[in-house]
Amino acid sequence: MTRLTVLIGVLVVGFITLTSTLFTVQETQQVLITQFGQPIRVITKPGLQAKIPFIQNVIAFDRRLLDYDSPGEEVILGDQRRLVVDSFTRYRVVDPLLFFQTAGAAESGIRGRLGSIVSSALRRVLGNETLLAVLSAERTRVMADILREVNGEARRFGIEVTDVRIRRADLPEENTQAVLTRMQSERERVAREARAEGAEVAARVRAGADRERTVILAEAQAQSDVLRGQGEEGAIKLFADAFQRDPQFYQFYRTMQAYREAFGEGESRFVLSPDSEFFRYFRDSTPVPLTPNPVLPNPAQAPAAAPNPAVTPG
């Protein structure tokens, strides 16, 4: 029983010693071996490795890309604009020994220093750039300058920064309203200019239409006057020919027209002497001899309203 106990104890001690001696390095890891707190060697190849048990310790570092999100901070640009920048950084540990000597065994020890490096680089580079450069296609060049400065500082800690990006770039809250007001004023100015140009074009079109209307009316009035003059000329000539053929009948006809216009409404009043020539045909009912086959004017060609004839002595 005593031998069995001793054998079991030897096996247990052997197992513990073996597990403390052998260790595995993963493909995503790189290992630093320390002895009494002092670094001894660095192992970067994956596989089964060995160390002195109980004396040497294994510190593993991730060899993959790591992310660090910087909190948003206010930066003053080269044109004195203020901008709240929210960035992130991607890095990897390339020198475990230097990383252990400068930042410690934990990867969290580098985050505070990396945040200071990124913040300083952002302020230096963006302090020489304008807002338009940060928000335009030149942003790629700006980020390359920031990456170069951050990487130059980060190599002192055994890490390599592969990328620095600005996730968001916003104006401070106190400046946002001013910018929005300025944008609104600019849009209103553009709208006023557009309305003014539209009103100018409308006035020009309206003036052209009024001018064409005036020209068309004037030409129509001129043509109407010409036609009216030609018609009146024909009517006067026709009446003159008829008057020359039978003057007595023409005088009678014109007198009858004057009676119709004077007494047509039935409410006309005249203050005349009984022997007035206007009532000549009322006093003298002697028939007037007519010229055989007189040529009378065509009523369709006569004017609608002929002037009243003058009173002719009988």
Side-chain angles (χ1 to χ4, degrees):
M1 190 67 181
T2 304
R3 291 181 178 180
L4 182 60
T5 304
V6 173
L7 180 60
I8 293 174
V10 170
L11 292 176
V12 170
V13 172
F15 178 77
I16 294 174
T17 303
L18 182 63
T19 55
S20 299
T21 302
L22 301 178
F23 63 93
T24 302
V25 179
Q26 304 294 333
E27 292 82 357
T28 59
Q29 292 179 336
Q30 47 191 342
V31 172
L32 175 65
I33 305 299
T34 63
Q35 182 174 331
F36 300 113
Q38 298 298 323
I40 301 299
R41 61 193 173 101
V42 176
I43 302 174
T44 58
K45 292 183 179 180
L48 186 64
Q49 303 291 337
K51 65 180 181 63
I52 299 175
F54 309 114
I55 297 176
Q56 295 180 346
N57 295 322
V58 177
I59 302 176
F61 297 95
D62 200 333
R63 64 192 307 169
R64 295 173 295 182
L65 283 177
L66 304 175
D67 294 334
Y68 171 70
D69 295 331
S70 300
E73 56 181 329
E74 186 173 317
V75 178
I76 301 177
L77 302 179
D79 54 359
Q80 302 305 313
R81 300 285 185 86
R82 295 181 178 272
L83 202 64
V84 178
V85 178
D86 183 7
S87 64
F88 70 91
T89 306
R90 290 180 178 176
Y91 68 97
R92 64 161 54 95
V93 178
V94 294
D95 191 344
L97 178 58
L98 183 59
F99 185 90
F100 175 76
Q101 292 173 345
T102 56
E107 294 179 358
S108 59
I110 194 61
R111 293 184 177 272
R113 299 185 181 183
L114 186 60
S116 300
I117 294 173
V118 173
S119 177
S120 300
L122 284 173
R123 292 181 182 277
R124 284 196 301 270
V125 175
L126 296 181
N128 298 322
E129 302 292 340
T130 62
L131 179 62
L132 182 61
V134 176
L135 302 180
S136 66
E138 297 185 21
R139 185 168 178 170
T140 303
R141 175 187 60 79
V142 174
M143 298 312 303
D145 295 341
I146 295 175
L147 175 61
R148 184 170 56 254
E149 292 204 11
V150 171
N151 208 12
E153 294 289 335
R155 287 187 181 277
R156 298 188 296 106
F157 300 95
I159 64 175
E160 177 188 7
V161 177
T162 60
D163 197 8
V164 178
R165 296 287 178 179
I166 294 178
R167 183 182 292 113
R168 293 181 59 186
D170 299 330
L171 293 172
E173 187 65 28
E174 59 271 15
N175 295 343
T176 302
Q177 189 61 39
V179 173
L180 293 178
T181 303
R182 186 162 57 250
M183 292 174 60
Q184 182 179 2
S185 300
E186 180 65 18
R187 293 296 93 192
E188 290 178 353
R189 183 186 63 81
V190 173
R192 286 195 299 270
E193 291 181 357
R195 283 194 293 266
E197 292 176 358
E200 180 182 359
V201 173
R204 188 162 54 249
V205 172
R206 191 178 295 109
D210 291 341
R211 183 172 59 253
E212 293 180 1
R213 173 178 175 273
T214 302
V215 171
I216 293 174
L217 291 178
E219 292 178 352
Q221 185 64 34
Q223 185 177 4
S224 174
D225 292 341
V226 170
L227 294 177
R228 185 179 293 106
Q230 293 176 354
E232 290 179 355
E233 179 183 3
I236 292 173
K237 185 176 181 301
L238 184 63
F239 277 104
D241 293 341
F243 180 75
Q244 291 177 1
R245 288 178 178 273
D246 194 345
Q248 293 182 353
F249 178 78
Y250 185 76
Q251 183 179 5
F252 175 75
Y253 175 75
R254 296 292 289 175
T255 304
M256 292 298 104
Q257 284 186 336
Y259 287 163
R260 181 175 58 189
E261 293 179 4
F263 305 119
E265 297 181 359
E267 297 180 357
S268 300
R269 295 182 180 182
F270 296 89
V271 180
L272 300 174
S273 60
D275 56 351
S276 173
E277 287 295 328
F278 186 73
F279 298 106
R280 170 188 175 194
Y281 288 100
F282 287 95
R283 297 193 308 270
D284 188 5
S285 58
T286 303
V288 179
L290 301 177
T291 304
N293 297 327
V295 178
L296 299 179
N298 189 358
Q301 296 180 352
N308 292 332
V311 179
T312 307

